[in-house]
Structure formats: C-alpha cells, structure tokens
C-alpha cells in the first residue's frame, strides 16, 4: 500500500513537473520534435534507397546462350547442372521459339521481320535466365557456367554490374550512417536541453535531498517526466511522417519519376517509423532527464 | 553511546585548508548546544559533518547510531530522516504554499493523505503559523519564513534539529521569537538542538551549553556558557 502511494506520488509529481514548468517543458518537447522529424524522414529515405537497390539487384540476371546444336535431352541435363551450383536460386529455360514469339508481341516491326523465319531458320538461340542469391558472387557463377559444355555465350553485364553493386553498397551505408548520426544528434541535443531545464529545479532537488528523500525517489518523477516529454515530442514527427509520406506516395503514384524507382508502400514501413520515433523519443527523454538529475544529487 | 559522537575528527579541504583538527565531542539526547566561533573557525564545517554535507578526512562521526563518515551518497537519506535542518536562508520553495512546503518533507514516506495533513498542521501549530497555511513564502516576513522552515524540519519528528545560523538574516526581536520556537521544541518534544550562531545576545540569554570552535579546535566546552569576546 505504502509503495503504491509513493509510486502514485512519483507519477503525480511528474505530471506537475511537466505543467508547472511548461515553458521549459516546451523547450524540451520542441527540441525532440525537430530532431525526430529529421530522424523520421531519414528513416523513410533509407528504406526507400534500400528497397530500390534490392529491387534492382533482384532483377540482375545471367543470360546463358546455348549451343545451336544442343539436343533437348542435353538442355535438361544442363539446366539441372546449373541449378545445383552454389549461389544459384533459379534457372528459367527460354526456347528460341518462345523468344521469337515474345519479340513478335513486342512490336509490329519485329513481328514482320521475325515472321519470315521458320522454326529451322530461326536465328535466335535457346537460353537460360539464371538468378543468384548473393549478387556479389554473380561473376563467379557466370565464370563457372562458361566452363560447361554446349554453352555458347554467358552475359550478365560484366563490369557495370559490379560497379552498380559497389555504388549501392556505399549508398546504403551512407543512409545507415545518416540515420545513426541523426539519432545521436537527437540524444545529444535533447539531453542537453533537459539538463538546462532541470538546472532551474536544482533547489527543489537539493531540498528534497536535505529533507531525507532517497535518490530514487527524487529521480523517478524526472524519469516519468522524460517519458511524457519524449512521447509528446514524438507525436508531431509521427504525424508529419505519416501524412507527409502518404501524401508524397499518392502524389507521385508510388514511384519516383519513373517505374524503375518504386517507392515503398506506406503501409509497409509506417509501423516501423512510428515505433522507432516513439521509442527514440521516450528513451531519450527518460534517460536524458534521469541522467541530468544526477549532478544535483551530491548535496 | 551518545546520540552524537565525534572521535578524532579531521577535515582538510582539497585546497589544503584544514578546517577541523582532532575534534572529540559528545552530545546526548535532549541537549541544547550552541556552537560558536568566528568566520572561518570551522564551525560551519562541523555542522555540515553532522548532516553529511561534508565527510571527515578521517575520524568518526556518529549521529543516532549511524556512522556518517562511512555513509555512501545513496544512503544519505537514512541519516537525513533522523534529522531536521534549518538554514540561514530558509531554503523554502517559492512556488509552494506554506502548507505545501512543510508537507513536502513527508512526501517520501508514503503516508496516507489525512496523516500528512495532521502532522503538517501540528508542526505549523508548534511554530505558531497555523493561520498562514495558504500564504506563499514571499508574502511572509523573514521570521515567519524561518518558522516555516523550522516546521518543515520538525514535521518528521527528528531526534536532532540542526540549525545553521538560523537568525543570521533576522533582526534581534525576530531572532528572539525564533529562538523561543526552537527552545519550545527542545522542551516540549525533547528534540536535541545543535545550533551554530554568531549572535552573542542569544547565547548569553539562553544559558545553554556552548562549544567554542577556534582555528579548527574545540577551544572551550562550557555548560550554561556565555559568549565572551575573548572566547571568539
């Protein structure tokens, strides 16, 4: 019963603390708000960059052109052979007839040209489309396929693919670092702001110490106060990210300028953004306040 | 063991100043003791040792059975709950009313609301401020503010009331009023009083035990003492 009363006192103190020192609370809240808006949008950005690069990487394919004299039997054997290689996720066979039909569908010019060829005279080649699990090993897989019998040509965009993957890796890392740096800035700014606001309450803390309040009794209201401040500070960023991103997504019809750069659906990332913003706000607020009090617990 | 015991206490500050040297002192329950001395004599340091604002460099300080010298920062509250402390500058919270300022010292005990009310009012009655419950500190005269801080100091029924120059900011008449309040607490509640002061009049009129500190040493310790010029 006693412990409950003490706890209740702590909670009511923390609400009093927020509202009695409202101008100072407002300073902390707006500091949290501003930094979290940046954090929120950088999280969204980093998700989109990641999504875009993984989509592109998924599309990277090795095209294996087969010898013209290959038999149907041999095609099956070869396909199983490639399928069992390390790092190969999927092998699709395209016969030259299928490719011809595909091309004819694509445009009238192709249609008229290709229709001159019969099954025997078809200049196209049978081919495999090979997808890999780890894009970094695409070159090795291609080299291995080259060594196989009855394989004519292996193409995967040598050089440019490696370059692209390297750039994507760097871009991803940059977005991670940007998010981490912004979170750090938030922690630093918020804990400093709270430190300044608590300075004006040092007298209150000192007197509490002098009349026999334990350190945890003194600290607890500040801890809860930090949670309240962090929560209030995260509300605007959450709303801004949510409505802002949904608006941008709808406005751009889900893609950035071209269909090559699709945007991540809001429903896929909003829960993560909301949870991380509220989480960061609350944790930073609570521990910022908690730590700021320590300095005054020495009287 | 006496209520308060100091054994071979030395205090040297980091800047090299020795504030107290080889202090041995005993104060028993219910006593009323003045600690006097010139500025820089070490009397403030002695008072601060008692409520663990300062720690002795070596030696032992016992207050109510607690070894103050060995008390960790996180456990200081255990000592403070046995004490009431009154300061020269009152240390009241300006945004709280008189009542709230006194009840403030009961918050951490987890008492029921009506118990807090009963005790707070009783303490304010003791210092004669029952009719000023809703006033704010800056609406009160200096002597009244000091009485509020005394009420706050005694509201948890401490064994010892430590007063650090409680009349330092008050005129002689008001000082005597405050002294009357403190003397009543000593008589009626049996609270041990330890008071550091500069005020010769008060010491001479009260005729209590006087401990004279000079250059960090106990120069005199007299029952029913007087504050003579040569002793300072």
């Amino acid at each position: 019963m006693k412990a409950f009363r003490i706890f209740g006192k702590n909670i009511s103190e923390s609400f009093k603390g927020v509202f009695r020192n409202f101008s100072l609370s407002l300073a902390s809240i707006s500091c949290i708000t501003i930094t979290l808006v940046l954090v929120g949008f950088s999280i969204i950005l980093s998700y989109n960059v990641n999504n875009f690069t993984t989509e592109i990487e998924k599309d990277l394919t090795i095209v294996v052109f087969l010898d013209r004299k290959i038999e149907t039997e041999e095609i099956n054997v070869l396909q199983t052979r490639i399928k069992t290689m390390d790092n190969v996720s999927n092998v699709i066979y395209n016969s030259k007839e299928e490719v011809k039909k595909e091309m004819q569908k694509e445009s009238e010019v192709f249609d008229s040209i290709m229709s001159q060829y019969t099954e025997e005279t078809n200049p196209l080649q049978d081919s495999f489309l090979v997808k890999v699990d780890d894009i970094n090993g695409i070159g090795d897989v291609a080299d291995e396929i080259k060594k196989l019998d009855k394989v004519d040509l292996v193409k995967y965009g040598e050089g440019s693919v490696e370059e692209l993957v390297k750039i994507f890796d760097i871009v991803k890392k940059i977005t991670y670092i940007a998010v981490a740096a912004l979170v750090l800035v938030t922690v630093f700014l918020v804990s400093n702001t709270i430190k300044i606001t608590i300075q004006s309450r040092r007298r209150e803390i000192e007197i509490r110490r002098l009349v026999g309040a334990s350190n945890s009794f003194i600290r607890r209201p500040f801890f809860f106060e930090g949670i309240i401040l962090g929560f209030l500070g995260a509300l605007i960023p959450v709303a801004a990210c949510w409505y802002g991103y949904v608006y941008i997504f709808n406005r751009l019809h889900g893609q950035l300028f071209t269909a090559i750069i699709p945007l991540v659906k809001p429903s896929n990332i909003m829960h993560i953004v909301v949870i991380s913003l509220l989480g960061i706000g609350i944790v930073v607020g609570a521990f910022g306040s908690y730590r700021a009090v320590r300095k005054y617990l020495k009287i | 063991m006496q209520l308060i015991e100091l054994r071979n206490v030395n205090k040297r500050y980091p800047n090299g100043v020795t504030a107290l040297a080889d202090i041995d002192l005993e104060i028993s329950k219910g006593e009323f003791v003045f600690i006097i001395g010139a500025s820089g004599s070490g009397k403030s340091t002695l008072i601060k040792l008692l409520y663990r604002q300062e720690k002795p460099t070596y030696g032992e300080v016992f207050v109510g059975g607690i070894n103050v010298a060995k008390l960790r920062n996180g456990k200081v509250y255990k000592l403070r709950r046995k004490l009431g402390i009154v300061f020269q500058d009152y240390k009241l919270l300006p945004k709280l009313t008189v009542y709230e300022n006194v009840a403030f010292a009961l918050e951490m005990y987890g008492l029921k609301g009506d118990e807090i009310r009963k005790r707070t009012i009783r303490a304010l009655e003791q210092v004669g401020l029952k009719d000023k419950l809703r006033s704010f500190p800056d609406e009160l005269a200096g002597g009244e503010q000091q009485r509020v801080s005394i009420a706050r100091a005694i509201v948890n029924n401490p064994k010892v009331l430590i007063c650090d120059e409680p009349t330092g900011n008050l005129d002689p008449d008001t000082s005597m009023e405050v002294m009357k309040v403190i003397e009543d607490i000593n008589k009626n509640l049996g609270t041990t009083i330890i008071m550091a002061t500069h005020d010769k009049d008060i010491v001479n009129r009260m005729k209590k035990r006087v401990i004279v500190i000079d250059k960090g040493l106990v120069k005199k310790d007299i029952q029913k003492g007087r504050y003579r010029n040569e002793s300072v």
Side-chain angles (χ1 to χ4, degrees):
Chain A
M1 223 22 238
K2 217 169 161 186
F4 276 118
R5 274 200 291 269
I6 291 175
F7 191 73
K9 188 78 203 160
N10 287 152
I11 299 280
S12 75
E13 270 303 305
S14 60
F15 276 96
K16 264 193 225 159
V18 173
F19 294 106
R20 265 208 187 125
N21 311 282
F22 194 69
S23 58
L24 293 172
S25 304
L26 208 60
S28 302
I29 291 173
S30 44
C31 180
I32 294 171
T33 300
I34 291 163
T35 46
L36 282 189
V37 166
L38 291 175
V39 170
F41 278 104
S42 70
I43 291 174
I44 292 175
L45 189 72
S46 115
Y47 256 95
N48 271 296
V49 169
N50 258 312
N51 176 56
F52 166 63
T53 53
T54 17
E55 284 300 315
I56 295 250
E57 284 177 0
K58 256 193 243 161
D59 282 347
L60 292 177
T61 312
I62 304 171
V63 185
V64 181
F65 294 103
L66 304 177
D67 218 281
R68 285 184 194 285
K69 286 166 209 148
I70 199 164
E71 305 287 325
T72 325
E73 287 282 289
E74 290 171 315
I75 290 172
N76 286 335
V77 173
L78 206 54
Q79 187 169 12
T80 357
R81 180 77 196 279
I82 294 173
K83 223 173 211 167
T84 53
M85 282 178 172
D86 274 351
N87 197 17
V88 169
S89 65
N90 193 16
V91 182
I92 298 166
Y93 171 65
N94 277 335
S95 71
K96 55 186 178 188
E97 280 306 302
E98 284 169 42
V99 179
K100 182 182 156 196
K101 274 179 206 154
E102 284 284 311
M103 286 178 78
Q104 283 174 312
K105 255 188 246 163
E106 228 163 86
S107 80
E108 286 173 22
V109 185
F110 280 149
D111 188 21
S112 63
I113 297 171
M114 293 313 285
S115 54
Q116 298 166 12
Y117 297 104
T118 63
E119 205 168 316
E120 282 71 40
T121 57
N122 185 347
L124 300 169
Q125 282 172 287
D126 293 322
S127 62
F128 289 136
L129 296 179
V130 181
K131 298 229 171 180
V132 293
D133 289 319
D134 175 19
I135 204 73
N136 290 310
I138 195 167
D140 298 334
V141 175
D143 286 342
E144 222 173 307
I145 296 173
K146 261 181 212 163
K147 286 180 205 149
L148 298 174
D149 248 5
K150 303 280 180 185
V151 169
D152 185 22
L153 260 180
V154 180
K155 289 275 174 205
Y156 69 95
E158 292 91 330
S160 53
V161 166
E162 277 91 350
E163 205 58 33
L164 194 66
V165 169
K166 222 184 272 170
I167 290 169
F168 282 176
D169 262 359
I170 293 170
V171 171
K172 275 184 200 174
K173 270 178 198 145
I174 289 174
T175 61
Y176 290 144
I177 292 169
V179 170
L182 274 169
V183 171
L184 270 182
V185 169
T186 310
V187 171
F188 183 74
L189 274 179
V190 171
S191 63
N192 260 316
T193 312
I194 291 175
K195 222 183 253 174
I196 293 165
T197 61
I198 282 182
Q199 199 166 14
S200 68
R201 291 164 71 184
R202 62 183 294 181
R203 196 179 169 82
E204 183 187 324
I205 297 171
E206 283 173 15
I207 294 171
R208 276 186 207 277
R209 278 273 294 178
L210 289 170
V211 298
S214 66
N215 289 352
S216 60
F217 181 86
I218 298 171
R219 279 180 142 183
R220 243 174 280 145
F222 285 97
F223 185 75
F224 294 129
E225 211 179 306
I227 291 178
I228 298 169
L229 294 180
F231 179 79
L232 293 177
L235 288 181
I236 291 176
V238 163
C241 288
W242 190 305
Y243 290 106
Y245 188 61
V246 168
Y247 176 78
I248 291 171
F249 186 84
N250 291 336
R251 190 69 198 268
L252 298 176
H253 307 292
Q255 59 194 42
L256 194 61
F257 312 124
T258 84
I260 301 170
I261 313 178
L263 293 173
V264 185
K265 267 195 202 148
S267 57
N268 286 348
I269 49 167
M270 273 312 140
H271 58 284
I272 294 165
V273 173
V274 170
I275 289 170
S276 13
L277 289 186
L278 284 176
I280 293 171
I282 287 170
V283 169
V284 169
F287 284 95
S289 306
Y290 192 75
R291 279 194 48 231
V293 183
R294 183 172 52 188
K295 206 171 138 195
Y296 304 113
L297 293 179
K298 287 177 183 150
I299 301 297
Chain B
M1 184 187 267
Q2 300 293 344
L3 182 63
I4 293 170
E5 282 192 33
L6 279 76
R7 290 191 206 131
N8 190 27
V9 169
N10 270 255
K11 176 66 186 179
R12 179 193 283 270
Y13 285 105
N15 62 8
V17 174
T18 303
L20 292 174
D22 303 327
I23 299 280
D24 282 292
L25 214 54
E26 286 186 3
I27 295 169
S28 31
K29 212 173 154 205
E31 268 192 277
F32 193 130
V33 183
F34 284 114
I35 295 176
I36 63 173
S39 303
S41 59
K43 71 175 183 313
S44 280
T45 304
L46 180 60
I47 289 280
K48 283 176 181 164
L49 287 177
L50 297 178
Y51 62 89
R52 191 134 149 12
Q53 169 97 311
E54 297 289 349
K55 269 180 160 182
T57 311
Y58 58 86
E60 283 172 325
V61 178
F62 287 95
V63 176
I66 295 176
N67 189 344
V68 179
K70 286 192 176 145
L71 204 58
R72 282 186 296 125
N73 182 289
K75 300 283 178 207
V76 168
Y77 72 94
K78 291 190 172 172
L79 169 70
R80 304 259 167 95
R81 286 183 183 187
K82 297 184 180 223
L83 306 176
I85 315 170
V86 177
F87 299 92
Q88 183 171 358
D89 61 351
Y90 326 133
K91 291 201 194 295
L92 299 174
L93 289 168
K95 284 184 186 172
L96 302 187
T97 63
V98 166
Y99 175 87
E100 287 168 331
N101 260 294
V102 176
F104 191 79
L106 290 176
E107 270 179 4
M108 57 282 189
Y109 296 106
L111 300 172
K112 278 186 192 150
D114 51 346
E115 177 72 18
I116 291 179
R117 218 164 300 130
K118 216 169 68 191
R119 286 220 217 166
T120 304
I121 302 229
R122 202 197 298 145
L124 280 165
E125 241 167 348
Q126 181 75 41
V127 300
L129 282 177
K130 209 189 156 198
D131 50 342
K132 303 265 183 176
L133 296 183
R134 290 177 201 284
S135 306
F136 286 92
D138 58 2
E139 297 165 357
L140 301 178
E144 289 172 322
Q145 291 191 35
Q146 190 56 293
R147 271 143 66 195
V148 176
S149 95
I150 292 170
R152 183 183 62 194
I154 60 167
V155 74
N156 62 337
N157 302 324
K159 290 181 177 160
V160 186
L161 185 64
I162 296 173
C163 309
D164 194 356
E165 307 262 5
T167 58
N169 287 351
L170 305 174
D171 61 64
D173 286 347
T174 320
S175 294
M176 282 321 293
E177 271 172 40
V178 168
M179 285 316 297
K180 180 87 181 56
V181 168
I182 294 176
E183 195 182 16
D184 282 349
I185 291 167
N186 177 243
K187 266 190 199 151
N188 302 343
L189 308 178
T191 312
T192 308
I193 312 280
I194 299 169
M195 179 168 157
T197 186
H198 265 118
D199 198 321
K200 292 173 195 176
D201 269 359
I202 288 174
V203 177
N204 292 342
R205 277 204 217 176
M206 304 281 292
K207 298 189 177 59
K208 303 287 185 187
R209 180 179 170 192
V210 176
I211 296 169
V212 183
I213 306 285
D214 187 32
K215 295 185 183 112
L217 297 163
V218 176
K219 195 176 173 193
K220 281 182 185 170
D221 187 346
I222 355 162
Q223 299 295 331
K224 296 196 178 181
R226 292 178 62 83
Y227 197 123
R228 287 194 206 84
N229 278 338
E230 68 265 20
S231 66
V232 187

